[in-house]
């Protein structure tokens, strides 16, 4: 008899502009262990995301123990990621990587409400990997495709698109513009290796 292994959620590819706008979170069950989802403005839920960019700075912001903050910039904006004792591998990468460096991060979106009532979005990493420019460029192209797919599917019949329209409105032009900016950011002679 084999025990059923819970499947992991798919890590959604998302640009920084959309990720930082995804301030609404929800659960689909009252179970304490139910996953917390971030609602992407383009109408899809995300429990995990896959991002890439340039790690431009790292800092140990912990008081009593190591707690590293990383600033990762993609062509549309900035992601902030935080790693501490419960993410030892990610913490090690943030501590040891010399900036600037291209990285990919798989992690969980987290929201935090400031005293002023603003909601900040950050990324709790499951893994951080230092990568080359070809990998980063491939991520830009794939993320552009996925973002455009979400925008085209945003028609109000999908329950998450309906939720997104209620939470954020239906003007997705900023995300379409982000796709254009990201693709224009690629060097004209950038190598983008095809997916294997």
């Amino acid at each position: 008899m084999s025990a059923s292994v819970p499947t992991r959620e798919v890590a959604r590819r998302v640009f920084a502009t959309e990720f930082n706008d995804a301030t609404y979170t929800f659960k689909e069950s009252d179970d304490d262990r139910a996953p917390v989802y971030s609602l992407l403005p383009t109408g899809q839920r995300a429990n995990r995301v896959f991002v890439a960019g340039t790690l431009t700075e790292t800092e140990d912001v912990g008081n009593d123990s190591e707690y590293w903050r990383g600033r990762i910039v993609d062509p549309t904006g900035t992601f902030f990621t935080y790693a501490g004792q419960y993410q030892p591998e990610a913490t090690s990468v943030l501590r040891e990587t010399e900036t600037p460096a291209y990285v990919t991060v798989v992690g969980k979106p987290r929201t935090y409400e400031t005293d002023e009532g603003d909601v900040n979005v950050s990324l709790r990493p499951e893994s951080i990997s230092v990568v080359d420019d070809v990998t980063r460029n491939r991520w830009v192209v794939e993320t552009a495709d996925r973002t455009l797919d979400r925008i085209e599917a945003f028609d109000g019949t999908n329950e998450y698109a309906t939720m997104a329209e209620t939470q954020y409105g239906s003007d997705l032009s900023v995300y379409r513009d982000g796709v254009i900016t990201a693709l224009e950011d690629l060097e004209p002679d950038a190598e983008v290796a095809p997916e294997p």
Side-chain angles (χ1 to χ4, degrees), residues 30-103:
D30 293 332
D31 182 355
D32 287 344
R33 297 178 55 85
V36 175
Y37 293 100
S38 181
L39 181 64
L40 299 178
T42 54
Q44 194 164 53
R45 68 181 190 176
N47 173 256
R48 299 168 74 233
V49 295
F50 174 48
V51 306
T54 306
L55 181 65
T56 60
E57 65 183 69
T58 59
E59 181 181 2
D60 183 357
V61 295
N63 293 327
D64 300 326
S65 61
E66 275 190 307
Y67 191 64
W68 285 81
R69 176 181 63 210
R71 182 176 192 266
I72 301 163
V73 178
D74 81 0
T76 72
T78 302
F79 300 96
F80 285 96
T81 187
Y82 293 86
Q85 65 181 345
Y86 299 112
Q87 301 87 26
E89 292 87 6
T91 299
S92 177
V93 172
L94 291 175
R95 181 190 325 108
E96 296 169 14
T97 301
E98 199 169 310
T99 59
Y102 287 130
V103 295

Side-chain angles (χ1 to χ4, degrees), residues 104-127:
T104 58
V105 182
V106 174
K108 293 185 177 285
R110 290 290 175 249
T111 57
Y112 169 75
E113 190 167 343
T114 66
D115 293 338
E116 295 80 32
D118 296 326
V119 178
N120 291 335
V121 184
S122 65
L123 187 56
R124 189 183 78 208
E126 294 173 0
S127 68

Side-chain angles (χ1 to χ4, degrees), residues 139-160:
W139 176 86
V140 168
V141 171
E142 286 290 318
T143 303
D145 287 345
R146 297 292 186 280
T147 303
L148 290 175
D149 290 347
R150 290 193 302 270
I151 290 170
E152 288 187 20
F154 192 93
D155 63 3
T157 59
N158 165 330
E159 71 175 296
Y160 302 115

